[in-house]
Amino acid sequence: MNDYIGSDAETLVAAAPPLPSAPSMDTAPAGTFDGVEIGKVIEVSGSGARIELDAHVLKKLAADGDPSISMAGQVSSQIKMRVGVQWLVANVKTLRFDTAASDLIIAEIDFMGEGNEATQSGRITQFRRGITRYPVPGTRIYPVSSEDMRQMYAAAERPHIEIGTVYPTRDIRGALFVDSLLGKHFALLGSTGTGKSTSAALILHRICDMAPEGHIVMIDPHGEYSAAFKDNGALYDVNNLAMPYWLMNFEEHCEVFVTVSGNEGQLDRDILAKCLLAARAKNRAAEGISKLTVDSPIPYLLSDLTSILQTEMGKLDKAGSSAPYMRLKTKIDEIKADPRYSFMFSGMLVADSMANFLARIFRLPGDGKPISIIDVSGVPSEITSVVVAVLSRMVFDYAIWSRGEPQRPVLLVCEEAHRYVPSDRVNTGASVRKILERIAKEGRKYGVSLGLITQRPSDLAEGVLSQCGTIIAMRLNNERDQAFVKAAMPEGAKGMLDSIAALRNRECIVCGEGVAIPIRVAFDNLEPERRPASSDPLFSDLWRETGGEADILGRVIKRWRSQGR
């Protein structure tokens, strides 16, 4: 042990009472062992180092009342070393005994950042990510105290939101830098049951509280979040969304109206392109537009489209070649007559309501309700991906065509993101995947931020997660998901992510641009009235209840048959 007690700690150790040989149930005053050397560097590489720790000293530190010091040397704890006039901080990645008969522990560490040494206290100040100087073998190792961590995680003057408490401290707040979080996209990942939905609601509530005139659009596939934002959000579902069908571009029209693939599908698409352009051209809004295309968001009547198809079919010579026209016309008529599609294909939506629709959905102005919750749980599954594609593309296209205007950045949040931006192994609508991948790659240039929420990151399209500057990772039980997240992380954070399977509910590891250095955070409790409706049913309680089943069945069947709530 004496090999590891340096001159700057001798006075402290001498003044302290005799140390117990093993951790005691009695906790020593916080900071009793602050400044005690616990080991030394034995090998250095580009992103980390190998160090030697004294197990005997670590046992004594476990009695310190400061939880940061008592954890020193454990996996995922932080340690520090002096390099010149700077403190270099690292995260402990792995531990193993040097030899079976030895008290020496060999640890692998990842460098996290560095800070200046305060003249009076010797504490870490002005901490920043990354290192400019490396230690040499023999450099002494010290525990990081809670006061050090307070400096390391201080949000300073940067705009930020506080989401919880930094582990293992009791009172140091974990903060996210809002401009970096939103400016470079973020992803919230976690297995089902870890508190992911409540954590997402917490983060969005904090952003809304900070920016009540913000512009947030959230795609909610399960109808969970309306309960969380009923007081400070605009809530939309199939009953009041009123999304005009003519906002679809040509690719989205094809996903809805073209029912065959291969050569027949290509023929149907060619016919639809010609007839759709003619239908758009009939509207007064198309007058004076020299470059009218099938993608232009110009209103048109579905009846005009079907009549143009009928006219074109009448020009044919042989009856056999009318099949493509009949397929398209039949599909359009079928959708017009289906009440499930009335939120989008109603004849009432033919008016030029684009400005009103964008103002409602993008919160322009916000009027103190900066978030739109788009509940797509009632949308027919066949066109859910098209609805999400149109909403996502509206966000992106608005950002492109509003350049030169006063900027209104928009945050698009996608719950169950693996549904819409899946890996190549999974088939889904091509249009929604294409637009979300484009937002991930180019959105930040135009003021569009993307927030992805998923429990299966390995099912996301390759490259999308790596475009997210901040990763908020809750517990992930699947090894493939864990490996996928680690692959998207910067080198210095990978050691901390090894503990991702051991996180408790409502705990996360945050890495990337939104934090100064990777942190493990226990989320704050969210008020019950601000939580999403995502709690699991309590079978043990609910299966004791009885009575009223006939009335329940009657009401359920009525809603079921009318396809409404």
Side-chain angles (χ1 to χ4, degrees), residues 133-160:
R133 298 181 64 181
Y134 285 87
V136 296
T139 300
R140 302 294 171 167
I141 304 294
Y142 303 86
V144 168
S145 69
S146 289
E147 284 304 312
D148 289 330
M149 295 184 80
R150 198 180 304 279
Q151 289 292 328
M152 289 162 53
Y153 297 120
E157 302 300 318
R158 296 174 65 178
H160 64 276

Side-chain angles (χ1 to χ4, degrees), residues 4-10 34-41 44 51 79-90 109 111 113-124 131-144 148:
Y4 299 113
I5 305 299
S7 59
D8 59 340
E10 285 172 358
D34 189 9
V36 172
E37 292 178 11
I38 58 176
K40 64 182 179 182
V41 176
V44 181
I51 62 173
I79 49 93
K80 65 182 180 181
M81 60 201 81
R82 188 183 283 110
V83 180
V85 294
Q86 294 180 329
W87 283 112
L88 194 153
V89 178
I109 62 173
F111 297 131
E114 64 187 12
N116 299 336
E117 182 178 7
T119 307
Q120 298 292 328
S121 64
R123 300 275 182 210
I124 298 172
I131 61 172
T132 55
R133 298 181 64 181
Y134 285 87
V136 296
T139 300
R140 302 294 171 167
I141 304 294
Y142 303 86
V144 168
D148 289 330

Side-chain angles (χ1 to χ4, degrees), residues 40 42-45 47-53 73-77 79 81 90-96 105-111 494-496 498:
K40 64 182 179 182
I42 56 175
E43 185 180 320
V44 181
S45 64
S47 61
R50 184 173 295 157
I51 62 173
E52 195 175 69
L53 299 172
Q74 296 182 26
V75 171
S76 293
S77 68
I79 49 93
M81 60 201 81
N91 185 67
V92 178
K93 187 177 177 181
T94 63
L95 295 172
R96 63 176 173 83
I105 296 171
I106 304 300
E108 303 282 344
I109 62 173
D110 288 329
F111 297 131
K494 290 182 180 177
M496 184 171 279
D498 284 337

Side-chain angles (χ1 to χ4, degrees), residues 163 195 197-206 209 225 228-229 506 523-532:
I163 59 169
S197 298
T198 304
S199 303
L202 171 71
I203 292 169
L204 292 174
H205 272 301
R206 294 283 194 267
D209 293 344
Y225 291 90
F229 293 93
R506 296 180 49 254
F523 280 110
D524 289 336
N525 282 320
L526 191 59
E527 300 86 344
E529 66 275 9
R530 301 185 111 192
R531 294 175 189 167

